[in-house]
Amino acid sequence: MNYFLEITSCPNYPLILDESQNPHISSQLGADLNLGNYIHEYLSSPLVYRDAENCSASFERLITYDILTTVYGGLLVSERMRKAIEENFPNEVQFFDAIFNYKKKMCNSYSAMNIHKHIECYDMEESIYSISPVDKSYEFEQRVLITSPLEEYGVNYNIVRCSFDDEIVVSEKFKKVIRANKLNCMSFAKELEIDY
């Protein structure tokens, strides 16, 4: 069984990658984190994020969340989540040290997580979609996940992005690890609501 990973911590992205505080990285890195492109760049210091001023959660509340979505900077995960993923799914994602400033307080116990493996995750015979005549992108009315393992070239994965639309898809094993470690702010859906 496979699932869409839904992040439930803060719907209004609380943090943004602060380009002015990250002179050591290329301007493309934020886009690569959002799109899940593999990052070849060596980062000599942590990525710095700042308050996006989109969220009303207190600092104390924010740092109880195991995963956060950001504006232009991918996902941030707690030390607990990073440890669980590294122990159970080594080499499936990239991690980068991160620091964030939120509500005038600083936190350095999160990491940026880059989910960079893109594979076909949908049963295209069961899914309902059209292909844009302009840019050939897929526009889904209904996404149906494959029931077979998340596999490519004989390698099974547990956390990937769908190659059709970049949605994050995870395996049953991933779901079990998250639940066994009591990690919060994630839900697992068999289907996604379509936003119009």
Side-chain angles (χ1 to χ4, degrees):
M1 180 74 59
N2 300 310
Y3 304 92
F4 292 103
L5 178 65
E6 295 182 315
I7 292 69
T8 59
S9 53
C10 290
N12 299 327
Y13 309 126
L15 302 164
I16 184 168
L17 186 65
D18 190 342
E19 290 185 326
S20 69
Q21 296 296 315
N22 289 291
H24 62 290
I25 65 171
S26 70
S27 60
Q28 182 61 34
L29 189 125
D32 287 341
L33 282 171
N34 274 343
L35 296 172
N37 295 330
Y38 187 85
I39 296 171
H40 297 278
E41 199 172 327
Y42 170 74
L43 303 182
S44 58
S45 57
L47 295 172
V48 180
Y49 293 76
R50 65 175 168 79
D51 192 337
E53 300 179 10
N54 289 338
C55 184
S56 60
S58 68
F59 177 85
E60 292 72 20
R61 180 77 177 146
L62 194 75
I63 62 174
T64 66
Y65 299 148
D66 285 311
I67 188 165
L68 299 166
T69 51
T70 70
V71 178
Y72 190 65
L75 300 171
L76 292 180
V77 298
S78 66
E79 290 175 340
R80 293 176 346 116
M81 185 162 174
R82 179 175 177 165
K83 181 179 179 197
I85 291 175
E86 286 179 331
E87 286 177 357
N88 292 280
F89 313 112
N91 307 314
E92 289 201 32
V93 300
Q94 291 179 293
F95 288 108
F96 303 97
D97 293 336
I99 296 171
F100 68 76
N101 294 291
Y102 180 78
K103 307 278 188 215
K104 300 182 180 174
K105 294 183 181 178
M106 190 193 82
C107 179
N108 63 1
S109 61
Y110 280 71
S111 301
M113 180 173 74
N114 184 28
I115 303 164
H116 58 82
K117 191 65 185 170
H118 292 77
I119 68 171
E120 292 184 16
C121 302
Y122 301 157
D123 181 332
M124 298 304 279
E125 290 182 14
E126 296 294 323
S127 296
I128 301 171
Y129 64 94
S130 59
I131 299 174
S132 168
V134 177
D135 62 1
K136 306 297 182 210
S137 64
Y138 288 80
E139 297 171 1
F140 288 91
E141 289 182 42
Q142 180 180 359
R143 300 171 178 99
V144 177
L145 288 167
I146 59 172
T147 56
S148 58
L150 300 170
E151 180 268 333
E152 186 176 60
Y153 305 119
V155 177
N156 286 347
Y157 297 97
N158 294 282
I159 181 168
V160 298
R161 289 180 184 264
C162 183
S163 57
F164 295 113
D165 59 5
D166 283 333
E167 291 293 341
I168 299 170
V169 178
V170 298
S171 67
E172 181 74 30
K173 181 179 178 183
F174 183 91
K175 178 182 173 184
K176 286 179 179 176
V177 166
I178 296 303
R179 295 230 165 118
N181 285 278
K182 296 181 171 60
L183 297 169
N184 63 33
C185 298
M186 286 165 277
S187 64
F188 303 91
K190 292 181 182 176
E191 54 187 60
L192 284 181
E193 295 290 324
I194 304 298
D195 297 326
Y196 290 107

